[in-house]
Amino acid sequence: DAKTTQPTSMDCAEGRAANLPCNHSTISGNEYVYWYRQIHSQGPQYIIHGLKNNETNEMASLIITEDRKSSTLILPHATLRDTAVYYCIVRGNNQGGKLIFGQGTELSVKP
Amino acid sequence: GAGVSQSPSNKVTEKGKDVELRCDPISGHTALYWYRQRLGQGLEFLIYFQGNSAPDKSGLPSDRFSAERTGESVSTLTIQRTQQEDSAVYLCASSYLYGNQPQHFGDGTRLSIL
């Protein structure tokens, strides 16, 4: 079973920041938080990952709480093309290869 | 650079036939994964090739499913005597083997069993 909890769906206005929350209260010390998204008819796309420090790349920012029990993915200026299902996944280095996908958050960016 | 490539992108076949799906990973990625995604569902892990170690086959749903990988390159997923419940998108991903490296996915093969 997935170790994360995410809202089923969210809406965001085009041009505004999209903040997607994820709860992972049972995360252990060596587990990373990964974010992927899946646009219809495509494979999942890697966005960002982190352990305990906040991370930023060209796509998004990842904010992890100090106790690491939750995190937020931030898309700073959402566009219509950001409409997708967003998956938050936790996995450790020594847990084999597989990613366990939950149901994710369906983000709808509206004009 | 080039991403993960899968072929064919779509495959329609009759129940009972065998099918072979191909995955070309990103060059230099020693780990390769297969997942299945049924319509409207999340991804299910099937199999994981980890460098020269024995593959993790724990996700294969039945003995009709098998996969091979030649060295650190191409992998093929074979489904024998296909059933209608095998209809799904089959996704391949690859990554560097060690540490926290993320997996990168292809766009999958959409398999339809008539």
Side-chain angles (χ1 to χ4, degrees):
Chain A
D1 292 335
K3 301 179 182 179
T4 62
T5 304
Q6 299 176 252
T8 303
S9 63
M10 292 181 63
D11 290 341
C12 178
E14 187 179 18
R16 304 298 293 268
N19 297 282
L20 291 93
C22 180
N23 286 321
H24 31 80
S25 59
T26 61
I27 193 170
S28 59
N30 67 345
E31 289 183 317
Y32 285 73
V33 180
Y34 296 80
W35 283 84
Y36 284 79
R37 71 181 182 184
Q38 189 172 26
I39 296 169
H40 183 61
S41 298
Q42 296 181 19
Q45 178 187 22
Y46 165 75
I47 302 173
I48 198 167
H49 73 289
L51 182 62
K52 54 183 178 181
N53 296 324
N54 297 336
E55 302 287 345
T56 296
N57 63 20
E58 65 279 5
M59 292 183 67
S61 294
L62 173 61
I63 308 298
I64 303 174
T65 57
E66 191 168 344
D67 64 7
R68 303 211 319 125
K69 293 184 177 181
S70 65
S71 60
T72 301
L73 179 75
I74 301 172
L75 308 178
H77 305 285
T79 71
L80 299 180
R81 288 176 295 179
D82 292 322
T83 293
V85 178
Y86 286 77
Y87 297 98
C88 169
I89 301 166
V90 297
R91 184 175 73 99
N93 287 348
N94 59 349
Q95 294 175 1
K98 60 187 174 186
L99 296 173
I100 299 175
F101 285 76
Q103 294 303 307
T105 296
E106 187 167 2
L107 176 68
S108 297
V109 181
K110 300 180 183 299
Chain B
V4 176
S5 177
Q6 292 188 246
S7 61
S9 54
N10 286 283
K11 176 73 175 179
V12 180
T13 192
E14 294 180 346
K15 176 182 173 181
K17 300 287 188 183
D18 297 351
V19 295
E20 192 171 276
L21 313 179
R22 176 187 170 108
C23 173
D24 285 85
I26 293 171
S27 178
H29 281 187
T30 49
L32 187 147
Y33 318 79
W34 284 96
Y35 295 83
R36 176 173 70 179
Q37 187 172 31
R38 291 188 164 122
L39 186 64
Q41 303 296 313
L43 276 74
E44 303 171 71
F45 167 77
L46 296 177
I47 188 169
Y48 162 42
F49 293 93
Q50 41 187 337
N52 294 323
S53 301
D56 176 358
K57 303 180 181 180
S58 61
L60 295 178
S62 78
D63 59 7
R64 296 187 297 105
F65 287 71
S66 63
E68 293 184 351
R69 187 179 187 193
T70 305
E72 296 182 356
S73 60
V74 172
S75 176
T76 55
L77 177 69
T78 301
I79 308 173
Q80 297 178 307
R81 305 181 302 281
T82 52
Q83 303 294 315
Q84 287 189 329
E85 63 262 28
D86 299 335
S87 295
V89 176
Y90 289 82
L91 291 153
C92 176
S94 70
S95 74
Y96 292 109
L97 182 56
Y98 296 110
N100 61 349
Q101 299 303 308
Q103 297 177 25
H104 296 272
F105 286 80
D107 282 335
T109 293
R110 183 174 299 278
L111 178 63
S112 300
I113 309 300
L114 303 178

